[in-house]
Amino acid sequence: MSKNLVIVESPAKAKTIEKYLGSDFTVLSSVGHIRSIAKKVKGGAEPIDVNRGFETVYEIDPEKKKTVAELRKAVKAAQDVWLATDEDREGEAIAWHLCEVLKLDPKTTKRIVFHEITKPAIEEAIKHPRTVDMSLVRAQQARQILDRLVGFELSPVVWQKVPGGKSAGRVQSPAVRLLVERERDIENFQGSFQFKVSALFRRASDELKAELPQRFDTETEARDFLESLQGAHFQVTDITTSPSTRNPAAPFTTSTLQQDANAKLGFGSKATMSSAQKLYQEGKITYMRTDSMTLSGQAIAAIKDFVTGAYGPQYSQVRQFKTKNASAQEAHEAIRPTDIRLEKGSGNEYDQRLYNLIRSRTLASQMAPAQLEKTTITISISSRNEVFEAKGEVIIFDGFMKVYGGGKKDPDILPSVVTSETLDLATVSARQIFARPPSRYTEGSLVKKLEELGIGRPSTYATIINTVQVRGYAEKGEAEGTPREVIVLNLTQDGVKREVVEEKTGSDRGKLLPTASGEVVSDFLTGHFEPIVDYDFTAKVEQEFDLIAGGTLERNQMLQEFYTPFHELITQSGDIKRSEVAQAREIGIDPKSGKPVLARFGRFGPMLQLGLAEDKDDKPQFAPLPAGRKIETVTLEEALHAFQLPRIIGETAEGEIIKANIGRFGPYIQVGKLFVSIKPLDPHEITLDQALELYQAKLKAEAEKNIADFGDGLRVLNGRFGPYITDGTKNAKIPKDIEPTSITHEQAKAMIAAAPATKKRSFSRKTAKKPAVKKRTVRSKKT
């Protein structure tokens, strides 16, 4: 063992750093966090004792015990230990936990930070070590303690009072509220339409597209206008040219990276951060969790040299962007490549696309503005006072657009015309256009909104977006839109001709939609726990974390001010009636049976019910709510149609019945015990041929998945992460040096016997405490 031990967070980071340090250094990894707040404490005490200054009991994560043992052994053999975890609050907290577990003094143990993994940065960090910043640690502790208290006290209330409720979180709940409020805005949007007039003029061999600036509110007005153009003359009356400048955006912060990766590459927040993490650990980009927009002087000089050499001095313009967030303390620099000359950042295509985005944005930030020229040609109508306008844009000097933001759309190049010149009208039409409702959030635009409201920080955005989806409170839309009829009026030699064309509207593909569960839980929290979903209150908590990190606010003071009123709300929640949270709606009466038809919220979401539960002799029937319908809007006709399921489609060649139905996870067909998803087909309409095709495909997939079946429940299967053995309750991974097809029955039994038991949920309804909690007096162990 070398005399110097450096401990980092990830194995990939360890490998990269070890290349830059000499033989006197050994670099090991903690593989992320090594301790968490304990789930239980011996003697029944609470892991967080709110009566003793929020004393917290931590425990080593079970899967990290081996890692901790190896680190303890390495620490004993080393003369000096250097803690090189990430430079944000999470990294600082990991460094403190390492000190606690490895018996290191946080007041004297060397702590080094760097925002890029390069040889100069590592060597510079070694020259200037510091100690663990306990203010940053306390800020992370405050966030962790608060989130645990809210989750463990509020989630049981949600389970008990909200049908289908799963959990509630301090930051995820305001995010769900944003989605719900946007959905309500869309539902309440009052649609309207107008008619837009477009014309195509000809001048010799040139064509000129123009539009009427005014819109018409009715079809009659649009028709009258078009009719008035018959026999009219058109003349160029004015040509105005105005120069404009377009400036580049700042280098990426965590938030803007997630927004742009989502908009330009289609990457989700979680995937973006995972890819960025790999690029950082491989030493290709600077630290990826930051709200700083500044670049180091060294980086700016390197970019200037590269831009000047690659594109010419006229393309270079040095600038420094000022960070908007005054409380930014997550890092010291924006996200940029560590070597701007390097075009290849990864052998992985996915990561390379993100690297290209980061590199081009960084280059653009230090390049000259684009110089544009905008031209407007005004065309008069001899029979009317209105005028047509043709607008175009010419790029005089592309500047930063050479590397970023250009090439999306070819600018409209206008033909050369002169004032008083007469133009020929080729075509003119009036098309019905509709007012657009507010757009649903994408992952990127939701991150932007959270940042604007001051909710979350660079290290939490991706987690928030992921959590609301994992909890089932939001989902990605898949619909391409619904058809809509559009009126188009065309002026011809025979007069105005009317036609109706079809276009799609309301596509929600890739957008975040609140689920029915998300809406019910959000309404419940807004009504009974308003501070938890209040945007200003949540932002204020984030600001207080910043003050703790800066050493200007006491951790326990902040925790107490939050917890006291919050716990009072929990105590009062026992009076909330579950029946009033999500009330059932009677849609009507079934004409065949005379039973009432209800739309209500069940354990797995909104559902339909035929009959009453009180009728013991005739149990009610249940059916899922039709797609795209809500409890408030579903009609009796739609409900009765839903009760026609399950539907028998036909039989397989072997004579087995094929049924179509809708379940928790969407439409499916059932053959015996085999279930096959039929998305996006309708179970009411799927044909026998379609069902048989899907059934055969499923049989083929199952056959390929099943490597071996020993007949007693033991099977060798091909899984998502490779081949494994299962007995139905336990799974055993097959070592890479063993051929799955050669495994014997005895080997399979031995592997299953040696496999660890399936982990039980650590946070369950049974283990979580009840909502109406009395003041705690039991003293917990000290950290």
Side-chain angles (χ1 to χ4, degrees):
M1 175 64 69
S2 308
K3 65 179 183 179
N4 291 285
L5 172 65
V6 180
I7 303 176
V8 297
E9 287 177 59
S10 73
K13 188 176 173 182
K15 288 179 183 177
T16 308
I17 292 174
E18 203 160 41
K19 292 189 300 185
Y20 301 133
L21 296 174
S23 56
D24 285 345
F25 289 83
T26 297
V27 185
L28 296 179
S29 165
S30 68
V31 197
H33 282 275
I34 58 168
R35 292 202 306 177
S36 305
I37 298 175
K39 303 292 187 300
K40 293 180 180 179
V41 178
K42 289 181 180 179
E46 296 292 345
I48 301 171
D49 193 335
V50 298
N51 295 320
R52 290 178 58 82
F54 295 91
E55 281 187 358
T56 305
V57 178
Y58 295 93
E59 62 183 6
I60 296 172
D61 298 332
E63 64 270 20
K64 294 297 177 66
K65 288 183 178 179
K66 183 180 177 182
T67 300
V68 169
E70 291 171 352
L71 291 174
R72 281 173 174 161
K73 184 178 178 182
V75 166
K76 288 180 181 178
Q79 292 181 20
D80 282 312
V81 178
W82 307 69
L83 301 178
T85 49
D86 289 345
E87 62 177 326
D88 59 9
R89 295 170 197 171
E90 291 295 321
E92 207 70 23
I94 292 173
W96 176 75
H97 281 291
L98 285 168
C99 287
E100 292 286 303
V101 170
L102 302 178
K103 307 300 181 187
L104 301 170
D105 187 351
K107 295 179 181 178
T108 57
T109 301
K110 294 173 181 175
R111 167 88 170 105
I112 56 173
V113 294
F114 35 83
H115 58 271
E116 62 180 67
I117 304 176
T118 59
K119 188 176 177 63
I122 303 300
E123 290 175 344
E124 187 66 19
I126 292 289
K127 291 177 185 174
H128 303 97
R130 59 172 175 82
T131 56
V132 175
D133 187 333
M134 289 307 298
S135 292
L136 292 179
V137 173
R138 282 187 282 270
Q140 190 274 345
Q141 289 175 340
R143 178 188 294 278
Q144 191 179 37
I145 289 169
L146 216 54
D147 289 348
R148 168 62 76 89
L149 289 171
V150 170
F152 265 62
E153 294 198 11
L154 185 55
S155 291
V157 177
V158 172
W159 293 335
Q160 294 173 20
K161 306 296 182 180
V162 183
K166 295 180 179 67
S167 69
R170 186 185 58 81
V171 182
Q172 76 185 46
S173 298
V176 174
R177 181 185 176 187
L178 280 171
L179 299 178
V180 171
E181 288 181 342
R182 178 57 56 87
E183 199 65 23
R184 302 263 167 86
D185 288 342
I186 294 171
E187 290 171 1
N188 297 327
F189 179 74
Q190 298 296 319
S192 62
F193 66 84
Q194 291 181 310
F195 284 83
K196 180 179 77 172
V197 179
S198 303
L200 180 66
F201 295 96
R202 284 204 178 98
R203 171 192 170 279
S205 59
D206 294 325
E207 290 185 342
L208 182 65
K209 294 178 182 178
E211 286 186 5
L212 197 74
Q214 295 90 339
R215 302 286 188 262
F216 296 110
D217 294 328
T218 66
E219 182 179 347
T220 301
E221 290 176 332
R223 178 183 289 274
D224 291 344
F225 175 79
L226 292 182
E227 289 175 343
S228 72
L229 300 183
Q230 288 181 313
H233 301 288
F234 304 91
Q235 188 178 59
V236 176
T237 56
D238 189 32
I239 302 172
T240 59
T241 301
S242 59
S244 66
T245 301
R246 190 175 300 170
N247 289 302
F252 282 129
T253 62
T254 303
S255 168
T256 54
L257 176 63
Q258 291 180 30
Q259 292 169 42
D260 246 35
N262 186 245
K264 290 184 166 61
L265 307 178
F267 289 8
S269 296
K270 184 178 179 183
T272 298
M273 294 310 293
S274 174
S275 184
Q277 177 109 15
K278 284 185 275 184
L279 290 171
Y280 166 68
Q281 291 172 350
E282 291 166 5
K284 299 303 170 57
I285 64 170
T286 53
Y287 192 55
M288 66 286 160
R289 295 190 186 96
T290 174
D291 41 18
S292 170
M293 293 189 290
T294 61
L295 296 175
S296 68
Q298 186 179 1
I300 289 174
I303 297 167
K304 180 183 178 182
D305 288 345
F306 180 83
V307 170
T308 301
Y311 308 111
Q314 70 274 24
Y315 279 91
S316 174
Q317 181 171 321
V318 172
R319 58 170 68 80
Q320 186 66 275
F321 293 87
K322 188 176 180 181
T323 301
K324 295 178 183 177
N325 184 3
S327 63
Q329 297 187 32
E330 299 296 334
H332 307 293
E333 204 172 349
I335 303 169
R336 62 167 175 81
T338 54
D339 184 350
I340 200 68
R341 299 168 299 178
L342 196 65
E343 292 185 9
K344 187 173 179 62
S346 173
N348 178 297
E349 182 185 356
Y350 198 90
D351 299 342
Q352 180 64 40
R353 291 177 68 196
L354 190 70
Y355 178 80
N356 290 342
L357 189 70
I358 294 169
R359 182 173 182 267
S360 59
R361 174 89 164 216
T362 306
L363 281 171
S365 73
Q366 300 302 309
M367 292 177 71
Q371 303 297 328
L372 310 171
E373 186 177 82
K374 294 183 178 181
T375 301
T376 301
I377 299 174
T378 304
I379 303 164
S380 66
I381 307 167
S382 63
S383 60
R384 307 279 301 196
N385 292 326
E386 294 92 345
V387 295
F388 282 101
E389 287 184 349
K391 295 184 177 182
E393 186 176 78
V394 178
I395 299 175
I396 305 301
F397 173 64
D398 55 1
F400 76 92
M401 292 174 67
K402 182 176 278 292
V403 298
Y404 189 85
K408 270 188 173 182
K409 178 187 174 185
D410 292 331
D412 292 323
I413 306 298
L414 302 177
S416 178
V417 294
V418 294
T419 306
S420 301
E421 187 171 355
T422 300
L423 302 176
D424 296 325
L425 179 65
T427 63
V428 62
S429 64
R431 184 183 180 93
Q432 188 180 24
I433 57 171
F434 297 85
R436 293 184 179 182
S439 298
R440 291 184 174 94
Y441 289 105
T442 61
E443 289 197 8
S445 61
L446 182 57
V447 167
K448 183 179 181 181
K449 186 64 176 179
L450 290 171
E451 185 181 40
E452 288 174 359
L453 293 172
I455 297 172
R457 287 295 181 263
S459 59
T460 62
Y461 294 135
T463 303
I464 295 168
I465 302 293
N466 183 58
T467 300
V468 298
Q469 294 177 75
V470 170
R471 294 283 185 266
Y473 293 153
E475 60 188 11
K476 289 273 187 71
E478 297 179 352
E480 295 288 358
T482 54
R484 175 173 64 188
E485 290 186 343
V486 178
I487 299 169
V488 180
L489 304 176
N490 294 295
L491 180 63
T492 69
Q493 290 181 346
D494 300 324
V496 176
K497 300 295 184 183
R498 183 184 193 269
E499 65 174 323
V500 178
V501 299
E502 198 174 83
E503 67 180 13
K504 283 191 174 181
T505 182
S507 171
D508 58 27
R509 179 171 287 277
K511 305 289 182 65
L512 288 171
L513 284 72
T515 62
S517 296
E519 291 192 34
V520 173
V521 170
S522 182
D523 289 343
F524 172 77
L525 294 177
T526 302
H528 300 283
F529 295 90
E530 203 274 336
I532 296 299
V533 291
D534 182 77
Y535 304 134
D536 292 337
F537 180 80
T538 306
K540 177 175 175 287
V541 171
E542 293 289 351
Q543 292 165 4
E544 289 174 343
F545 290 149
D546 294 338
L547 294 175
I548 295 170
T552 57
L553 177 63
E554 287 294 324
R555 186 199 77 167
N556 289 356
Q557 177 189 339
M558 179 266 176
L559 289 173
Q560 195 66 57
E561 288 176 356
F562 177 99
Y563 182 75
T564 301
F566 166 73
H567 186 68
E568 183 62 29
L569 290 175
I570 294 291
T571 306
Q572 296 170 1
S573 66
D575 298 331
I576 302 170
K577 293 181 180 179
R578 180 183 173 94
S579 59
E580 295 177 355
V581 174
Q583 294 184 347
R585 168 179 166 248
E586 185 171 323
I587 304 169
I589 302 296
D590 176 23
K592 291 183 180 179
S593 64
K595 296 178 181 178
V597 180
L598 307 174
R600 70 180 186 84
F601 212 90
R603 183 180 175 189
F604 300 115
M607 58 185 283
L608 297 168
Q609 178 177 317
L610 177 59
L612 299 174
E614 293 82 8
D615 191 346
K616 297 181 180 178
D617 298 328
D618 193 2
K619 291 184 178 180
Q621 290 178 254
F622 302 98
L625 211 61
R629 297 293 178 267
K630 295 192 173 185
I631 290 175
E632 300 82 9
T633 59
V634 65
T635 65
L636 178 61
E637 182 183 359
E638 291 167 337
L640 293 175
H641 186 60
F643 280 110
Q644 292 175 8
L645 297 177
R647 165 181 163 244
I648 296 177
I649 304 172
E651 296 181 353
T652 66
E654 296 75 27
E656 292 187 276
I657 293 175
I658 305 174
K659 293 180 183 179
N661 206 346
I662 299 178
R664 279 180 64 195
F665 306 108
Y668 67 90
I669 56 171
Q670 180 183 355
V671 182
K673 294 183 178 180
L674 185 66
F675 295 84
V676 185
S677 171
I678 62 171
K679 284 182 180 180
L681 299 178
D682 188 330
H684 294 279
E685 300 173 0
I686 185 172
T687 65
L688 179 59
D689 287 342
Q690 289 173 320
L692 288 172
E693 184 180 347
L694 291 168
Y695 173 60
Q696 291 299 327
K698 181 70 171 181
L699 289 178
K700 182 181 178 183
E702 288 294 313
E704 292 172 352
K705 176 183 174 182
N706 202 351
I707 299 173
D709 190 335
F710 296 109
D712 58 351
L714 271 181
R715 292 191 297 163
V716 183
L717 302 176
N718 249 326
R720 183 179 171 191
F721 303 107
Y724 67 97
I725 299 167
T726 183
D727 65 355
T729 57
K730 288 172 67 178
N731 296 335
K733 190 174 180 181
I734 299 173
K736 290 183 179 179
D737 57 346
I738 296 179
E739 174 58 45
T741 56
S742 66
I743 291 176
T744 65
H745 189 204
E746 293 303 316
Q747 285 178 311
K749 286 200 292 186
M751 288 183 189
I752 281 291
T758 304
K759 289 182 183 178
K760 294 182 180 179
R761 288 179 62 190
S762 58
F763 185 62
S764 67
R765 300 182 188 223
K766 291 181 179 179
T767 57
K769 59 178 180 268
K770 302 293 182 184
V773 185
K774 292 182 179 179
K775 241 183 175 181
R776 288 175 273 196
T777 55
V778 181
R779 294 175 62 177
S780 69
K781 295 181 181 179
K782 261 192 173 180
T783 302

